[in-house]
Every structure is written in structure tokens, then in C-alpha cells.
Amino acid sequence: MSTAAEGDQGTGFTWPEPPPGGWTADDLDRIPGLPAHTEMIDGGLFFVSPQTHFHMATLWLLEYGLRTQVPEEFYVVREMTTRLGERDRPEPDLMVVPRRARKGPEQTSYEPADVRLAIEVVSQESVERDRTAKPQKYARAGIEHFWRVERNGEEPVVYVYELEPASGTYVITGIHHHQLKVAVPFPIEMELTLD
């Protein structure tokens, strides 16, 4: 089910060969040898580049802030996919889902109806996907709250979006430097300073 990559220069790495008609969201759990945190957008497979310190530290900051303030009925999920459609399984950096959405230790994705908040920390290799493609898909899937996190010097800036029901698209409700304070999807307040 895989072929030698052109120009693999003797590394022995093989690329998975897509089936006729391309990959589907269900295939993501069955393709052998995929790197960790592979996501699918429009039936294409995207592999994660090595993580930068900024990305790691920002995820830790946001995850800790969410975990300490999220209501008891919710759960913070890191680096798991959400099944948006037949050919889309992106992997937000963080999601907030209801505890009832957890199906067990073998679970690999969450349904968009269960995602209360999706967060993307923009990486250099995924700028277009994180700024445009994925937010559009999250909005079309009905995920009400989305945060996009960008780097400004050494600190994160959080762009907060909410789904506008009439248009089915996101509208920006705030840009947060140094401190994040929001009332939805639940009240949360945190410093946006990396140590």
C-alpha cells in the first residue's frame, strides 16, 4: 500500500499510495507507518514539522490555563483530530470537548458537534492552513469558538473568533496581547506571557 518516494536517496522511506478516489477520514486510522500527528485536509495528508520552542511553550501555557479554569463537565484535548467530513480530519493543537464525548482509550477523533473550542497555534510550515483552510472548515462544521494564536516577537497573541449563525462564518471578537479574558465558551482569564 505504499511506494518508494521518488528521490528518497536511499533512506528507505516510503510514501503511502492513495487508493482510487483518494483518502477518506476513516483511512487515517488504517494507513500504516504514518508519522504522529498526521492530519487530513481535502483528502491530502499533512505531516507535522519539528515543533519549535515557541509552539511548545504556547501550547503548554494555553493548555494549563484552560485545564485550571474549564468547567467540570468539559475536558481539554491536545493534538487529536476532529472528523469534519468524509475527507477532512484536521488536528487542532487544542480542543475543549464535553467529558461525555470521550469514548475510551482507543478513540482517535472527536465529532465537530462535540468541539466547544478549537485552537490553532500557527506554525511557519502551516500558516495558510492555520489561518484560512482549517478555520473555514471548522466554521462550516459548526464549531462555535475558534482561537488562532500567532507569534508577536517572543509572546503569543490570541485572535478569538465566534461563529456568526446567519453567515456560518467566523467573526473576530477580540485580539488579546499579554492577557486573555473571555466570557465564552466559558469564562476564562490568563496571562499570555511565556517564561
Side-chain angles (χ1 to χ4, degrees):
M1 195 129 219
S2 58
T3 59
E6 289 187 32
D8 70 4
Q9 301 168 351
T11 64
F13 182 80
T14 57
W15 294 101
E17 184 178 317
W23 300 113
T24 67
D26 289 336
D27 291 329
L28 198 57
D29 292 327
R30 298 188 292 255
I31 302 169
L34 287 180
H37 309 297
T38 300
E39 59 185 343
M40 180 180 296
I41 298 174
D42 294 327
L45 301 177
F46 291 87
F47 310 124
V48 177
S49 294
Q51 185 170 228
T52 64
H53 181 270
F54 173 82
H55 195 273
M56 180 273 308
T58 299
L59 279 179
W60 184 88
L61 175 76
L62 295 172
E63 182 178 15
Y64 177 79
L66 288 168
R67 284 187 189 277
T68 59
Q69 298 178 61
V70 69
E72 190 174 305
E73 67 269 22
F74 291 104
Y75 179 69
V76 179
V77 178
R78 183 173 176 155
E79 299 168 326
M80 284 188 66
T81 62
T82 179
R83 186 182 303 267
L84 301 183
E86 185 179 345
R87 299 171 58 79
D88 289 304
R89 264 184 70 187
E91 182 181 291
D93 289 306
L94 294 169
M95 292 185 285
V96 174
V97 299
R99 289 189 180 276
R100 63 171 169 68
R102 293 168 56 190
K103 306 292 188 232
E106 301 303 315
Q107 183 173 358
T108 59
S109 66
Y110 287 89
E111 294 300 319
D114 290 322
V115 180
R116 296 297 182 262
L117 170 64
I119 301 172
E120 293 288 354
V121 178
V122 176
S123 298
Q124 188 173 7
E125 55 89 23
S126 63
V127 170
E128 187 63 28
R129 289 191 308 275
D130 292 343
R131 287 181 178 169
T132 307
K134 291 165 82 172
Q136 289 173 353
K137 290 179 181 295
Y138 296 154
R140 281 197 297 267
I143 296 173
E144 290 185 50
H145 301 280
F146 171 68
W147 297 355
R148 189 185 84 239
V149 184
E150 301 268 355
R151 181 177 171 187
N152 182 15
E154 299 299 314
E155 302 298 334
V157 176
V158 179
Y159 296 79
V160 174
Y161 296 85
E162 190 169 338
L163 190 62
E164 199 282 307
S167 67
T169 60
Y170 286 128
V171 294
I172 193 160
T173 60
I175 302 173
H176 301 264
H177 299 261
H178 309 296
Q179 185 178 39
L180 172 70
K181 184 175 181 179
V182 295
V184 291
F186 49 85
I188 187 161
E189 186 171 349
M190 70 176 82
E191 297 296 319
L192 295 175
T193 304
L194 301 179
D195 291 333

